[in-house]
Amino acid sequence: MALICEVGSLGAADIAVCVVASRSVADLLVCKVSSRGVAQGNDGLWCEVTSRSVASSRVKYVTSRTSADLLICYVGSRSVAGWTRQHRLQGKL
């Protein structure tokens, strides 16, 4: 389940995330959803939460690809959301 909480510092984050414009560059294609239940079982479906204690991952958005742990590209469809290649964070969001 990907319950994502944005935090203000890298020290408080589990993952540094960089948003990229191209799907071919992204490690993960992400579709934002409003339901926690829908997000269950798919790293590509992100339900944003405000509570750190509820979140499955705390992320800090960064602008530099080289300092990011994960490159994501937002998509509008749940059907295309998911990993584009093997990644060490698969199943850990």
Side-chain angles (χ1 to χ4, degrees):
M1 178 181 325
L3 299 178
I4 305 299
C5 179
E6 182 179 358
V7 295
S9 71
L10 281 173
D14 300 317
I15 305 163
V17 174
C18 181
V19 179
V20 296
S22 172
R23 290 181 181 193
S24 63
V25 175
D27 300 314
L28 180 63
L29 302 179
V30 173
C31 181
K32 291 183 180 180
V33 295
S34 57
S35 168
R36 293 180 188 184
V38 171
Q40 190 168 359
N42 187 335
D43 288 339
L45 301 179
W46 284 17
C47 180
E48 295 180 346
V49 296
T50 55
S51 171
R52 292 181 186 189
S53 62
V54 172
S56 59
S57 295
R58 296 178 303 262
V59 303
K60 171 66 177 162
Y61 290 97
V62 296
T63 55
S64 169
R65 290 183 191 180
T66 56
S67 63
D69 300 312
L70 181 64
L71 302 178
I72 67 167
C73 180
Y74 288 112
V75 295
S77 172
R78 293 182 197 174
S79 63
V80 297
W83 295 98
T84 61
R85 59 184 63 86
Q86 292 291 322
H87 195 280
R88 65 181 179 81
L89 293 174
Q90 278 183 292
K92 297 180 181 175
L93 298 179

